[in-house]
Amino acid sequence: DVKVTQSSRYLVKRTGEKVFLECVQDMDHENMFWYRQDPGLGLRLIYFSYDVKMKEKGDIPEGYSVSREKKERFSLILESASTNQTSMYLCASSWSPTTDTQYFGPGTRLTVL
Amino acid sequence: GENVGLHLPTLSVQEGDNSIINCAYSNSASDYFIWYKQESGKGPQFIIDIRSNMDKRQGQRVTVLLNKTVKHLSLQIAATQPGDSAVYFCAEFSGYSTLTFGKGTMLLVSP
């Protein structure tokens, strides 16, 4: 079974703090994704990566950056957290560009005070 | 997430009924579709997928129907159980390696 894990289930940070969210997948997937999920807005893509050291902006990249130094690990970084970044953050991975089922982690509920 | 069900259309059924959840997709060029289930506090879970060269695909207790003419996708769940209570959403893929997700429907199953 595909396993996607996220470093924290719940996180509370203060405005202005730098926040790291980590995601690890164990299936050698090429593609990894970061989404945020908010009531009424559904899943919105922040960033994704096709390969190590590669990244592409999604629909809402502002205020976020990402890092993919190893194939299995994709990190989402909030350089200076703000209250409007309070959300559920979901990581996903998929096998290749032509096999597109995305498998999700359990999510990180981030609260920025 | 815990609040993912807020603001969503809701389908309420009795245990044992068949459920039908609908999804309208936007891009006529989309060629791959997925249904996900998301239980409270968990990440979305893959249920079933279908490619555009098919109009029906069956899994265990679930069937997905695709009508490309009207850009409509449906998920049928047979003999719905309380454990099926969750938010269900569809996703479409149009060839650029990113999925576009629907907002979802909350399914509530009463014993």
Side-chain angles (χ1 to χ4, degrees), chain B residues 42-86:
Chain B
K42 296 184 178 178
Q45 197 181 351
F46 170 85
I47 303 173
I48 192 167
D49 59 0
I50 188 167
R51 299 219 172 253
S52 59
N53 59 352
M54 305 172 71
D55 53 21
K56 180 179 179 178
R57 189 161 190 224
Q58 286 185 289
Q60 189 177 18
R61 281 202 307 120
V62 294
T63 301
V64 55
L65 299 177
L66 175 62
N67 185 331
K68 295 181 284 294
T69 304
V70 294
K71 294 189 287 186
H72 184 266
L73 200 63
S74 68
L75 177 71
Q76 300 178 359
I77 304 174
T80 315
Q81 302 165 3
D84 294 328
S85 293

Side-chain angles (χ1 to χ4, degrees), chain A residues 9-10 33 35 37 39-43 45 48 50 88 90 97-98 100-106 109, chain B residues 1-4 6-7 32 34 36 38 41-44 46 49 51 89 93 96-99 101 103:
Chain A
R9 291 302 309 276
Y10 299 93
F33 307 81
Y35 295 88
Q37 186 176 36
L41 298 176
L43 279 159
L45 181 64
F48 61 103
Y50 287 118
M88 169 67 85
L90 289 159
T98 57
D100 306 290
T101 304
Q102 290 184 19
Y103 296 92
F104 284 84
R109 165 67 63 183
Chain B
E2 292 85 352
N3 297 326
V4 70
L6 292 179
H7 313 299
Y32 178 61
I34 307 173
Y36 286 94
Q38 187 174 21
K42 296 184 178 178
F46 170 85
D49 59 0
R51 299 219 172 253
F89 50 91
F93 173 79
Y96 297 99
S97 283
T98 61
L99 289 169
F101 291 87
K103 297 285 192 295

Side-chain angles (χ1 to χ4, degrees), chain A residues 44-61:
Chain A
R44 294 181 291 167
L45 181 64
I46 304 171
Y47 267 97
F48 61 103
S49 168
Y50 287 118
D51 202 349
V52 175
K53 296 198 187 295
M54 293 182 68
K55 60 184 179 184
E56 296 283 342
K57 291 180 180 179
D59 300 319
I60 50 162

Side-chain angles (χ1 to χ4, degrees), chain A residues 53-100:
Chain A
K53 296 198 187 295
M54 293 182 68
K55 60 184 179 184
E56 296 283 342
K57 291 180 180 179
D59 300 319
I60 50 162
E62 297 78 19
Y64 303 95
S65 62
V66 289
S67 171
R68 191 150 180 220
E69 296 297 318
K70 293 185 178 181
K71 192 174 187 180
E72 67 272 17
R73 190 178 296 269
F74 192 35
S75 301
L76 180 70
I77 303 151
L78 287 66
E79 295 289 342
S80 177
S82 62
T83 54
N84 63 10
Q85 292 179 309
T86 292
S87 187
M88 169 67 85
Y89 289 89
L90 289 159
C91 175
S93 69
S94 67
W95 186 256
S96 75
T98 57
T99 305
D100 306 290

